[in-house]
Amino acid sequence: MSEGADDDGGAGAAARSRGGSPRGDGFAPSALGTREHWDAVYERELQTFQEYGDTGEIWFGEESMTRLIRWMQKHKIPLDASVLDIGTGNGVFLIELAKFGFSNITGIDYSPSAIQLSGNIIEKEGLSNIKLKVEDFLNPSTKLSGFHICIDKGTFDAISLNPDNAIEKRKQYVKSLSRVLKVKGFFLITSCNWTKEELLNEFSEGFELFEELRTPRFSFGGRSGNSVAALVFQKTLLYSELFHPVSCKRDICCVFSTCQLGNQGLCSGLRLTTHTLWCTMPSQLACFLPQWC
Ligand SMILES: C[S@@+](CC[C@H](N)C(=O)[O-])C[C@H]1O[C@@H](n2cnc3c(N)ncnc32)[C@H](O)[C@@H]1O
């Protein structure tokens, strides 16, 4: 789907049917939210690629890829930063990243045909150091973790249209994202189903808005708006993570027993040397700690 285009084949078509939807989140369930749909799409695209060399659809158009890479350039994201493309589809964005010089990139998709298509296109481009995996992002393997940057172009949109309990699936998406992204890591999402405000709400727990990216505006019937929202979130620390022993490494720390030790040391916001699971306190948490001690 091209940006701003009125293409009824894309996820935007479902977005436009929100008004009549009986579902609580306002979306009408759609085949676009199912794995069967995407398997069929990429099987077809795989065949077309093999026959004609056509790489298939770039969701939100070329400009959406340029916008993301420009942002990474502007913020001097190191070329060896680990980047995950969630629901990579034909993998064309991975190719753009690699051509730009990014050297630690991974693409996942739950459709094996999408991963096969990505692999074939990447091979034809002569690129070798791109990692590809068949993974359901709603149930990611433990190996998928520690990313500096996660990208989503249209995947959260697709998941939102799942006919089977999409609300729960969206929550699971946010949990998976929290798991795979490093604290302070960036999440770049491009969506045509959700407005900026709605995305802020969806990702309110554990993420904060870092920047809104400019997208084309459209006007219709005397009103104007954006057909696509592109936001950059930064991962913060979840309140619940503070009490989770898994969080107790390097720059994050809090376990129940540290609170039992009282104010000394802990609430100075520095180091708690009397506990085996201590670490350095992140500065932004210091103000919350007295309540817990
Ligand atoms: C709208 S397409 C976007 C493809 C690609 N990101 C792009 O910009 O061209 C949505 C993609 O998300 C994938 N997808 C949907 N749900 C997924 C899930 N739970 N885990 C992994 N991939 C998923 C689909 O297979 C499809 O490739």
Side-chain angles (χ1 to χ4, degrees), residues 11-203:
R16 285 190 290 274
S17 69
R18 292 171 77 168
S21 161
R23 232 166 60 178
D25 59 6
F27 286 113
S30 157
L32 286 160
T34 66
R35 184 164 160 182
E36 293 71 30
H37 169 82
W38 294 109
D39 279 340
V41 166
Y42 292 114
E43 266 158 39
R44 238 178 8 245
E45 292 203 354
L46 190 57
Q47 208 173 339
T48 309
F49 179 71
Q50 280 158 356
E51 283 174 23
Y52 308 106
D54 180 1
T55 55
E57 189 158 14
I58 298 170
W59 284 73
F60 307 111
E62 297 268 349
E63 173 54 23
S64 69
M65 302 194 289
T66 315
R67 182 193 300 127
L68 299 176
I69 290 179
R70 232 187 271 132
W71 181 87
M72 291 163 89
Q73 202 177 7
K74 178 177 138 194
H75 291 278
K76 301 192 169 39
I77 303 297
L79 291 175
D80 61 356
S82 50
V83 183
L84 175 68
D85 188 20
I86 303 165
T88 195
N90 57 15
V92 169
F93 185 56
L94 298 170
I95 292 167
E96 290 302 300
L97 287 168
K99 285 184 178 167
F100 190 78
F102 283 96
S103 58
N104 188 1
I105 44 187
T106 304
I108 60 152
D109 204 292
Y110 68 0
S111 165
S113 311
I115 292 302
Q116 199 185 335
L117 174 64
S118 303
N120 289 0
I121 299 175
I122 288 167
E123 193 186 335
K124 191 175 172 196
E125 289 285 334
L127 299 163
S128 55
N129 62 348
I130 298 176
K131 288 160 255 172
L132 290 171
K133 280 183 188 167
V134 176
E135 288 253 10
D136 182 347
F137 192 63
L138 300 183
N139 187 19
S141 66
T142 48
K143 282 190 211 142
L144 206 71
S145 66
F147 288 94
H148 295 109
I149 308 271
C150 288
I151 311 269
D152 180 317
K153 245 170 16 83
T155 302
F156 186 70
D157 282 352
I159 288 171
S160 306
L161 299 171
N162 193 295
D164 178 24
N165 201 353
I167 296 180
E168 205 40 55
K169 290 198 160 64
R170 274 161 27 213
K171 285 189 190 150
Q172 186 52 50
Y173 181 102
V174 179
K175 276 191 202 152
S176 298
L177 184 64
S178 258
R179 243 193 58 197
V180 304
L181 190 60
K182 280 180 187 277
V183 173
K184 299 259 179 207
F186 294 107
F187 170 55
L188 287 70
I189 181 165
T190 306
S191 166
C192 62
N193 273 0
W194 299 93
T195 63
K196 174 189 171 186
E197 289 67 31
E198 287 167 334
L199 288 172
L200 288 177
N201 188 40
E202 290 291 315
F203 294 93

